[in-house]
Amino acid sequence: MTRRPLIRYTLRTASLAAFLGLWQLLTSLKVDLWLRFSQFPTVTDVARAFAGRLSGDDYWTDLTDSLTRILSGFALAAVLGVATGVLVARSRLAEDLLGPVLEVIRPIPAIALVPVAILLFPSNEQGIVFITCTAAYFPVLVSTRHAVRALTPVWEEAVRTMGGGRLRILGSVVLPGALPGIFGGLSVGIGVSWICVISAEMISGQYGVGYRTWQDYTVVNYPGVFVGMVTIGVLGWVTSTAVELLGRRLTRWLPRTSYVPGGRARAARPAVAPVRGGRDSEQHAQPEQQGHQDTEEARDEHLV
């Protein structure tokens, strides 16, 4: 490990430790100024509740059920959102027919969809997947639509000049060109799905991290509420990071600057070095390859 990542991980650990220490101090002293920390559980209370949950079977059942529901809804939202976004961006007729309906539904919060899900679907599981899918659908739709509309027409004209049809343009220009924007919407969508997990699992009546968090709140078990909040936060961070890393792997062909936290953004070096004779070419290619590897490491390491 080089010196720079070591410093960054040390700073992250120190900031987390400082946050937990401040939380423990304010809650243990029951500080009541403008904010009422006397009502909060301490860090040690939450840690004990967390240890108790980890030792039981219900926690892992809740975790499995929530992951299954979120990933199912997110997968549906990804497919439907990308398809609808491309359709609306490429077709004026589709925009006129679908645009007004989608824009009216988009601002409705997920909690307001709970009665709709109860009335519409025959089972609770289908209703939960519907709410999580709807929550992730609109960020994917909007990002895809804007990404497709932002594509330069020159690429499409070049494919048409070479005899390419609509399917060829879609597979060679539209989808690859919009891929960065699509993955931006997917990253936001998976986070929104976890935000809405409590409102979605309120209708389950059985298991789930969101359902358990709501139940702890109703019985005034505040350490259990914080256990659910921490669990949702960690799962949301892990899944969102996984989506971002997948997007970076699939868009490695894009020209981009290397991300160097706290410093200047360096321009990406060309993939092919100028040809020189003999040993000079080999000596020049080695720094280029090393620079490319450093760029990839700096680009992905800030997500961890």
Side-chain angles (χ1 to χ4, degrees), residues 18-171:
F19 171 76
L20 294 177
L22 181 61
W23 178 1
Q24 178 69 22
L25 180 65
L26 293 174
T27 53
S28 60
L29 296 178
K30 300 185 182 301
V31 176
D32 278 338
L33 297 175
W34 180 58
L35 300 175
R36 299 177 300 174
F37 291 100
S38 60
Q39 307 296 324
F40 263 52
T42 63
V43 177
T44 53
D45 293 335
V46 177
R48 282 194 294 266
F50 214 130
R53 290 286 176 86
L54 291 176
S55 61
D57 295 333
D58 288 344
Y59 180 81
W60 302 107
T61 303
D62 293 336
L63 205 64
T64 303
D65 288 352
S66 292
L67 278 172
T68 302
R69 294 161 178 170
I70 289 291
L71 295 180
S72 299
F74 176 71
L76 288 174
V79 175
L80 296 176
V82 172
T84 310
V86 173
L87 183 62
V88 170
R90 300 280 299 174
S91 172
R92 292 184 179 179
L93 178 61
E95 182 181 6
D96 294 336
L97 292 177
L98 301 177
V101 178
L102 295 174
E103 290 302 319
V104 170
I105 299 176
R106 185 162 66 97
I108 300 176
I111 190 67
L113 297 176
V114 172
V116 177
I118 294 175
L119 296 174
L120 191 61
F121 293 94
S123 69
N124 291 334
E125 289 298 320
Q126 294 174 0
I128 296 172
V129 173
F130 164 74
I131 294 176
T132 56
C133 174
T134 305
Y137 170 75
F138 287 103
V140 178
L141 165 67
V142 173
S143 297
T144 303
R145 183 181 62 189
H146 286 298
V148 172
R149 287 177 176 174
L151 295 176
T152 174
V154 177
W155 299 345
E156 181 175 344
E157 293 172 0
V159 176
R160 290 186 184 277
T161 301
M162 293 183 289
R166 292 184 177 181
L167 293 179
R168 182 71 176 182
I169 292 173
L170 182 65

Side-chain angles (χ1 to χ4, degrees), residues 161-228:
T161 301
M162 293 183 289
R166 292 184 177 181
L167 293 179
R168 182 71 176 182
I169 292 173
L170 182 65
S172 301
V173 176
V174 177
L175 291 179
L179 208 56
I182 291 174
F183 270 97
L186 292 175
S187 179
V188 175
I190 190 67
V192 175
S193 293
W194 281 109
I195 292 173
C196 299
V197 69
I198 292 182
S199 59
E201 291 183 344
M202 281 171 56
I203 67 176
S204 70
Q206 293 179 356
Y207 295 102
V209 178
Y211 169 76
R212 193 71 58 186
T213 303
W214 180 255
Q215 286 298 107
D216 288 332
Y217 171 73
T218 57
V219 298
V220 200
N221 179 15
Y222 292 125
V225 172
F226 277 84
V227 170

